[in-house]
Amino acid sequence: MASDDPKQQTGGGFFASIASSLSNFGSAMSRSVNGLVGYEGLEVINPEGGTEDAEEEAKRGRWKQEDRDSYWKMMQKYIGSDVTSMVTLPVLIFEPMSMLQKMAELMEYSYLLDLADECEDPYLRLVYAASFFISVYCAYQRTWKPFNPILGETYELSNHGNLTFISEQVSHHPPISAGHAENEHFTYDITSKVKTKFLGNSIEIYPLGRTRVTLKRDGVVLDLVPPLTKVSNLIFGRTWIDSPGEMVLTNMTTGDKVVLYFQPCGWFGAGRYEVDGYVYNAAEEPKILMTGKWNEAMSYQPCDLEGEPSPGTELKEVWRVADAPKNDKYQYTYFAHKINSFDTAPKKLLASDSRLRPDRYALEMGDMSKAGHEKSSLEERQRAEKRNREAKGQQFTPRWFDQTSDIHPTPWGDLEVYQFNGKYNQHRGAIDTSDNIEQTDIQSIEFNPWQYEIGC
């Protein structure tokens, strides 16, 4: 197998070692990309399970030949590295949405947390909550990259039931986002940070974040530890996403927990999307089994201490993915389109809101050249603001979240935690109760996340 030493994971040697270790399975399962000079030994897998020739599969990606060649040459030096914030990526791999909007998109099936709060059965409550956290993977299966938020950028979501949502980019190096959602049933708080490992034609993404849900009726606090995510065929072949491993959701109040195993995608697509596991009590005895696919539906059934279905019970569906538009360019759901629209924007939208980003809007309009120009311009303004701030000896301070002294351990490293400070509720409450708010054309607002004057 390939060495863990990043210095040895370079160029064709890394891919050749993988191809060599798989060669005993036969050419029907996986073939090298023959005929693509310079990429010998590079393995390309069809995630849909087809057995087409690998050379044809390799040509199905979004890259033109000349783009693929230049990107491959540029990225070889980063193999084995964390590329979270060290690489400027071409706009053609982006979707017209920022990471802050992606965080809000996870609220699509928030009704499951409402049901968890209303549920009196402590184990069924975890079924609902775990199904909510499974549902978020529907948003993660898209293969387009969201824009990295500018420091101080925000996103506000309204008109989604009675839910309020605010997210903010609270750190640039390292990139950290914070989010808070709330309604009469629950509060949802997340500090989001990732670490990556670039492997050439794939990238592994390690979630160092902390996600906490508090169910208001009983004050139950739930803590999530998700699996890593792997994006395959970045340069050659159809790009696809997999999240193999365990997801653990723990009731920190009682000690009950859910452990769900995401099956890795195997040969010919076997096991892809499948999720299975159990709800356990504090004594680690199985109480309810859960099974399904993270891109389709989840079901549950009471079980005995051996994990077998209890006699006289049946499998019941608890969640199913909503219908989505056909042949959507960015694989957007109807809710994703709402996230991008001003229909979900509150009155007097913050000028720092992601919807107002000129690069995002240009990409949405299909103007790739302008999107790239606007993206570079925003990044340069961000660098100028940092230089100006540091020259004045000023520190960046998030507006809606405060950094705490808590250091949260994760399987992949420690995380500095940010908490919602409540100021947004005061801000929004003052606007919603005022009769003197001027009606402004939202689309005329200039994107402005900058807290400090940019100048010499």
mmCIF file of all heavy atoms in Angstrom, residues 5 60-61 64 91 132 181 203 257 286 295 355 359 442:
data_model
loop_
_atom_site.group_PDB
_atom_site.id
_atom_site.type_symbol
_atom_site.label_atom_id
_atom_site.label_comp_id
_atom_site.label_asym_id
_atom_site.label_seq_id
_atom_site.Cartn_x
_atom_site.Cartn_y
_atom_site.Cartn_z
ATOM 1 N N ASP A 5 3.992 8.613 4.410
ATOM 2 C CA ASP A 5 4.917 9.730 4.335
ATOM 3 C C ASP A 5 4.560 10.596 3.136
ATOM 4 O O ASP A 5 4.636 10.148 1.988
ATOM 5 C CB ASP A 5 6.344 9.202 4.191
ATOM 6 C CG ASP A 5 7.371 10.333 4.166
ATOM 7 O OD1 ASP A 5 6.993 11.519 4.222
ATOM 8 O OD2 ASP A 5 8.567 10.009 4.096
ATOM 9 N N ARG A 60 -14.842 11.846 -18.417
ATOM 10 C CA ARG A 60 -16.185 12.315 -18.108
ATOM 11 C C ARG A 60 -16.200 13.474 -17.112
ATOM 12 O O ARG A 60 -17.245 13.968 -16.760
ATOM 13 C CB ARG A 60 -17.020 11.173 -17.525
ATOM 14 C CG ARG A 60 -17.247 10.041 -18.498
ATOM 15 C CD ARG A 60 -18.278 9.072 -17.967
ATOM 16 N NE ARG A 60 -18.494 7.986 -18.895
ATOM 17 C CZ ARG A 60 -19.561 7.209 -18.899
ATOM 18 N NH1 ARG A 60 -20.511 7.422 -18.027
ATOM 19 N NH2 ARG A 60 -19.683 6.247 -19.768
ATOM 20 N N GLY A 61 -15.045 13.861 -16.598
ATOM 21 C CA GLY A 61 -14.994 14.926 -15.608
ATOM 22 C C GLY A 61 -15.394 16.277 -16.192
ATOM 23 O O GLY A 61 -15.622 16.427 -17.387
ATOM 24 N N LYS A 64 -11.736 20.480 -19.009
ATOM 25 C CA LYS A 64 -11.218 20.380 -20.362
ATOM 26 C C LYS A 64 -9.789 19.859 -20.280
ATOM 27 O O LYS A 64 -9.127 20.000 -19.258
ATOM 28 C CB LYS A 64 -11.234 21.755 -21.039
ATOM 29 C CG LYS A 64 -12.624 22.334 -21.223
ATOM 30 C CD LYS A 64 -12.543 23.714 -21.872
ATOM 31 C CE LYS A 64 -13.925 24.313 -22.039
ATOM 32 N NZ LYS A 64 -13.869 25.678 -22.631
ATOM 33 N N VAL A 91 -12.418 29.116 -10.535
ATOM 34 C CA VAL A 91 -13.824 29.307 -10.234
ATOM 35 C C VAL A 91 -14.702 28.260 -10.911
ATOM 36 O O VAL A 91 -15.848 28.038 -10.504
ATOM 37 C CB VAL A 91 -14.250 30.737 -10.644
ATOM 38 C CG1 VAL A 91 -14.382 30.850 -12.157
ATOM 39 C CG2 VAL A 91 -15.538 31.147 -9.953
ATOM 40 N N PHE A 132 -32.125 13.510 11.414
ATOM 41 C CA PHE A 132 -31.814 14.867 10.985
ATOM 42 C C PHE A 132 -30.363 14.974 10.544
ATOM 43 O O PHE A 132 -30.053 15.542 9.493
ATOM 44 C CB PHE A 132 -32.093 15.867 12.111
ATOM 45 C CG PHE A 132 -31.482 17.221 11.871
ATOM 46 C CD1 PHE A 132 -32.068 18.114 10.990
ATOM 47 C CD2 PHE A 132 -30.291 17.590 12.483
ATOM 48 C CE1 PHE A 132 -31.488 19.355 10.741
ATOM 49 C CE2 PHE A 132 -29.707 18.828 12.248
ATOM 50 C CZ PHE A 132 -30.310 19.715 11.374
ATOM 51 N N ALA A 181 -28.955 28.276 15.048
ATOM 52 C CA ALA A 181 -30.348 28.183 14.613
ATOM 53 C C ALA A 181 -31.216 27.975 15.839
ATOM 54 O O ALA A 181 -30.796 27.344 16.822
ATOM 55 C CB ALA A 181 -30.534 27.029 13.625
ATOM 56 N N ILE A 203 -9.353 13.907 -2.219
ATOM 57 C CA ILE A 203 -9.023 14.685 -1.033
ATOM 58 C C ILE A 203 -9.855 14.164 0.139
ATOM 59 O O ILE A 203 -11.038 13.852 -0.018
ATOM 60 C CB ILE A 203 -9.288 16.195 -1.270
ATOM 61 C CG1 ILE A 203 -8.776 17.011 -0.088
ATOM 62 C CG2 ILE A 203 -10.757 16.472 -1.542
ATOM 63 C CD1 ILE A 203 -8.773 18.510 -0.368
ATOM 64 N N LYS A 257 -26.953 6.921 23.326
ATOM 65 C CA LYS A 257 -26.280 7.360 22.103
ATOM 66 C C LYS A 257 -26.731 6.562 20.891
ATOM 67 O O LYS A 257 -27.332 5.496 21.014
ATOM 68 C CB LYS A 257 -24.760 7.246 22.253
ATOM 69 C CG LYS A 257 -24.240 5.830 22.420
ATOM 70 C CD LYS A 257 -22.715 5.831 22.574
ATOM 71 C CE LYS A 257 -22.186 4.410 22.794
ATOM 72 N NZ LYS A 257 -20.709 4.405 22.957
ATOM 73 N N PRO A 286 -28.368 -2.320 22.917
ATOM 74 C CA PRO A 286 -29.127 -1.839 21.766
ATOM 75 C C PRO A 286 -30.628 -1.801 22.067
ATOM 76 O O PRO A 286 -31.172 -2.730 22.665
ATOM 77 C CB PRO A 286 -28.797 -2.856 20.668
ATOM 78 C CG PRO A 286 -28.385 -4.101 21.402
ATOM 79 C CD PRO A 286 -27.724 -3.629 22.662
ATOM 80 N N ASN A 295 -28.976 9.160 1.058
ATOM 81 C CA ASN A 295 -29.489 9.961 -0.058
ATOM 82 C C ASN A 295 -30.948 9.638 -0.377
ATOM 83 O O ASN A 295 -31.506 10.179 -1.322
ATOM 84 C CB ASN A 295 -28.638 9.749 -1.310
ATOM 85 C CG ASN A 295 -28.809 8.359 -1.891
ATOM 86 O OD1 ASN A 295 -29.019 7.393 -1.150
ATOM 87 N ND2 ASN A 295 -28.705 8.241 -3.200
ATOM 88 N N ARG A 355 -25.454 36.259 -0.011
ATOM 89 C CA ARG A 355 -26.225 36.432 -1.250
ATOM 90 C C ARG A 355 -25.716 37.617 -2.074
ATOM 91 O O ARG A 355 -25.876 37.654 -3.287
ATOM 92 C CB ARG A 355 -27.699 36.679 -0.929
ATOM 93 C CG ARG A 355 -28.429 35.573 -0.195
ATOM 94 C CD ARG A 355 -29.831 36.067 0.119
ATOM 95 N NE ARG A 355 -30.632 35.160 0.905
ATOM 96 C CZ ARG A 355 -30.610 35.104 2.240
ATOM 97 N NH1 ARG A 355 -29.781 35.874 2.923
ATOM 98 N NH2 ARG A 355 -31.392 34.267 2.884
ATOM 99 N N ASP A 359 -19.078 37.773 -6.781
ATOM 100 C CA ASP A 359 -18.572 36.587 -7.482
ATOM 101 C C ASP A 359 -19.617 35.483 -7.481
ATOM 102 O O ASP A 359 -19.801 34.784 -8.481
ATOM 103 C CB ASP A 359 -17.249 36.108 -6.870
ATOM 104 C CG ASP A 359 -17.315 35.884 -5.357
ATOM 105 O OD1 ASP A 359 -18.352 36.201 -4.733
ATOM 106 O OD2 ASP A 359 -16.303 35.406 -4.793
ATOM 107 N N ILE A 442 -33.120 44.995 -1.914
ATOM 108 C CA ILE A 442 -32.038 44.187 -1.358
ATOM 109 C C ILE A 442 -30.899 44.019 -2.356
ATOM 110 O O ILE A 442 -29.718 44.100 -2.007
ATOM 111 C CB ILE A 442 -32.564 42.809 -0.901
ATOM 112 C CG1 ILE A 442 -33.508 42.980 0.292
ATOM 113 C CG2 ILE A 442 -31.406 41.882 -0.527
ATOM 114 C CD1 ILE A 442 -34.098 41.675 0.796
#
